[in-house]
Amino acid sequence: DQQVKQNSPSLSVQEGRISILNCDYTNSMFDYFLWYKKYPAEGPTFLISISSIKDKNEDGRFTVFLNKSAKHLSLHIVPSQPGDSAVYFCAASGGGTSYGKLTFGQGTILTVHP
Amino acid sequence: EAGVAQSPRYKIIEKRQSVAFWCNPISGHATLYWYQQILGQGPKLLIQFQNNGVVDDSQLPKDRFSAERLKGVDSTLKIQPAKLEDSAVYLCASSLGVVNEQYFGPGTRLTVT
């Protein structure tokens, strides 16, 4: 039972353009969402988060949007840079599980071409 | 600030052998997590500690996996006996508390042959 899904295994974008990574969830009790970035041979690194009481959160080039009615969140990266090339995971917490437990999506490989 | 440390980084064992992984969290972080990441999938939580007590181990295969966190600091995760399907990256993460962001170590890549 995959409660958090990232349906695009990969995304290729030109440097300077916008990257949009998508994530869907099924558990309506999730109340906190996070995006992590992962480089090869390293652990995931926290990028940005959003609480379910908000619909948007910005941090520099990164913006996360949350649509609770559609159970959908997205990460926008503007402008995209080659150093952004990595695997991006969305994660969710809450939902009646132990607090702090993260449920991850499968990940999307982002490649930003110079 | 030193990050989450894990060792070894790589391990190759034969099925039915045992293996142990070690994790040293960020100093002062009360919550520690062990995740299993199978190739092509996202990390899956195996066990969560709050100080040295277990908060959640619902997805830990307890017939072969065990974990402990003595004195609320370092932690070890053990697999005995290993199966082929245990081949994965084992990630340790820590956070100040359960509501804070989790910081991940580099992981241990386990190959079971």
Side-chain angles (χ1 to χ4, degrees):
Chain A
D1 176 28
Q2 188 104 33
Q3 296 191 67
V4 178
K5 293 182 183 178
Q6 293 175 255
N7 292 316
S8 298
S10 63
L11 175 68
S12 183
V13 170
Q14 206 68 30
E15 180 179 7
R17 306 294 291 267
I18 184 171
S19 295
I20 300 176
L21 297 105
N22 294 302
C23 179
D24 297 295
Y25 61 96
T26 57
N27 190 334
S28 58
M29 292 182 68
F30 283 142
D31 57 11
Y32 193 63
F33 304 88
L34 308 90
W35 284 93
Y36 280 82
K37 179 168 79 171
K38 186 181 184 305
Y39 293 118
E42 294 183 14
T45 303
F46 169 75
L47 200 54
I48 192 169
S49 63
I50 187 167
S51 164
S52 60
I53 62 173
K54 293 185 174 183
D55 54 18
K56 177 182 174 181
N57 189 27
E58 269 184 276
D59 185 1
R61 297 186 297 114
F62 303 91
T63 303
V64 56
F65 295 91
L66 176 62
N67 183 333
K68 288 189 292 292
S69 61
K71 297 191 182 68
H72 177 83
L73 65 154
S74 61
L75 174 69
H76 293 209
I77 306 174
V78 184
S80 301
Q81 300 173 354
D84 296 329
S85 297
V87 181
Y88 288 78
F89 292 98
C90 69
S93 71
T97 62
S98 60
Y99 215 72
K101 175 180 178 178
L102 294 180
T103 302
F104 283 84
Q106 313 95 303
T108 297
I109 301 170
L110 173 65
T111 304
V112 181
H113 299 283
Chain B
E1 177 183 78
V4 176
Q6 289 188 248
S7 68
R9 293 294 311 274
Y10 305 91
K11 190 74 177 179
I12 301 174
I13 61 173
E14 295 181 353
K15 59 184 178 183
R16 291 187 289 273
Q17 286 186 324
S18 62
V19 65
F21 312 126
W22 172 82
C23 173
N24 180 239
I26 293 173
S27 178
H29 280 196
T31 312
L32 185 146
Y33 311 80
W34 282 102
Y35 289 86
Q36 179 193 58
Q37 185 180 10
I38 293 172
L39 187 65
Q41 300 180 18
K44 182 185 82 171
L45 180 70
L46 292 176
I47 189 166
Q48 175 184 348
F49 291 95
Q50 180 70 17
N51 295 308
N52 60 349
V54 175
V55 174
D56 186 335
D57 63 357
S58 58
Q59 298 191 94
L60 186 74
K62 297 181 189 63
D63 57 335
R64 298 184 301 105
F65 286 64
S66 65
E68 60 181 8
R69 189 182 185 197
L70 299 176
K71 301 179 183 177
V73 182
D74 292 6
S75 178
T76 55
L77 176 70
K78 296 179 182 177
I79 308 175
Q80 181 180 14
K83 293 185 175 181
L84 294 176
E85 58 260 36
D86 298 332
S87 294
V89 175
Y90 290 85
L91 294 160
C92 179
S94 70
S95 62
L96 276 172
V98 293
V99 296
N100 303 97
E101 293 90 43
Q102 297 178 25
Y103 294 83
F104 284 81
T108 297
R109 180 175 295 278
L110 173 68
T111 302
V112 182
T113 62

